[in-house]
Amino acid sequence: GVGDEGGYAPNLESDEDSPVETLSMLQAASSEGTETLKGKKLALCWAYSPSGTKPLSVPQGVLSLFSRFGMEIVFASPEGYDLMPGAEEKAAKECENSGGSFKRVYKMEEALSGADFVCPVSFAPYSFLEEKTEIYAGTKDTAPEILEMELREQNVALTDWEYTESGEELTKNGKAMLFHPLP
């Protein structure tokens, strides 16, 4: 953090947002001005990762920020891979206020179809994070390692949720701008 002797700059990431990362994505997407984003389609897609414990901050930050520019945002994830309560509703409202739209789907291909921008990102479902909190609070008697192992096993059944060349072909002209969230 600030004042640490480690010499790194804090990224301001929280459980709900990753502003430095999402602002860098916005800068890349809107190099000619944020007004150029109006009407563009953003596919925000859950993507397989062998590590199941990634935070919700990036997908929630992307929704929170990009929903303000009149974009058509389509959020895709497998059933049960939900964000924090209210995150999608807030994004839908911001999209509506800015002249854009928000859609929730459960097939990556549907989100990718005609997309101008693609953000594949792995994250742990909110329900997993709730269980983990209960474990650390002492209200659930399970080892955190067991819970994490169960999520990794669950993720293994979803290895087809990857952004590949066949997914890229579905995007607008097969050339959507791809955002690479930090590992």
Side-chain angles (χ1 to χ4, degrees), residues 63-70 88-100:
L63 285 181
S64 178
L65 182 60
F66 280 76
S67 62
R68 301 164 193 244
F69 299 100
E88 291 178 40
E89 293 81 5
K90 181 180 174 187
K93 183 73 172 163
E94 288 292 340
C95 282
E96 183 181 322
N97 290 342
S98 67

Side-chain angles (χ1 to χ4, degrees), residues 47-169:
Y48 169 75
S49 171
S51 166
T53 59
K54 299 204 183 278
L56 295 169
S57 55
V58 172
Q60 291 181 165
V62 168
L63 285 181
S64 178
L65 182 60
F66 280 76
S67 62
R68 301 164 193 244
F69 299 100
M71 298 184 77
E72 298 173 20
I73 299 176
V74 182
F75 172 50
S77 74
E79 293 278 348
Y81 283 70
D82 297 318
L83 302 177
M84 293 177 84
E88 291 178 40
E89 293 81 5
K90 181 180 174 187
K93 183 73 172 163
E94 288 292 340
C95 282
E96 183 181 322
N97 290 342
S98 67
S101 64
F102 176 81
K103 186 176 182 182
R104 175 69 159 96
V105 299
Y106 298 94
K107 293 185 189 259
M108 183 183 269
E109 296 80 11
E110 189 174 347
L112 295 175
S113 180
D116 296 284
F117 304 97
V118 177
C119 182
V121 60
S122 182
F123 59 88
Y126 181 69
S127 59
F128 166 83
L129 299 174
E130 282 184 310
E131 284 186 67
K132 197 171 183 180
T133 299
E134 291 172 10
I135 291 169
Y136 287 122
T139 58
K140 184 169 180 145
D141 190 27
T142 304
E145 297 81 16
I146 292 174
L147 184 63
E148 291 177 19
M149 182 186 67
E150 289 172 356
L151 183 57
R152 281 192 300 278
E153 288 173 5
Q154 179 178 312
N155 284 355
V156 167
L158 301 167
T159 57
D160 58 333
W161 277 79
E162 290 185 299
Y163 184 62
T164 61
E165 287 180 16
S166 62
E168 184 178 26
E169 291 172 5

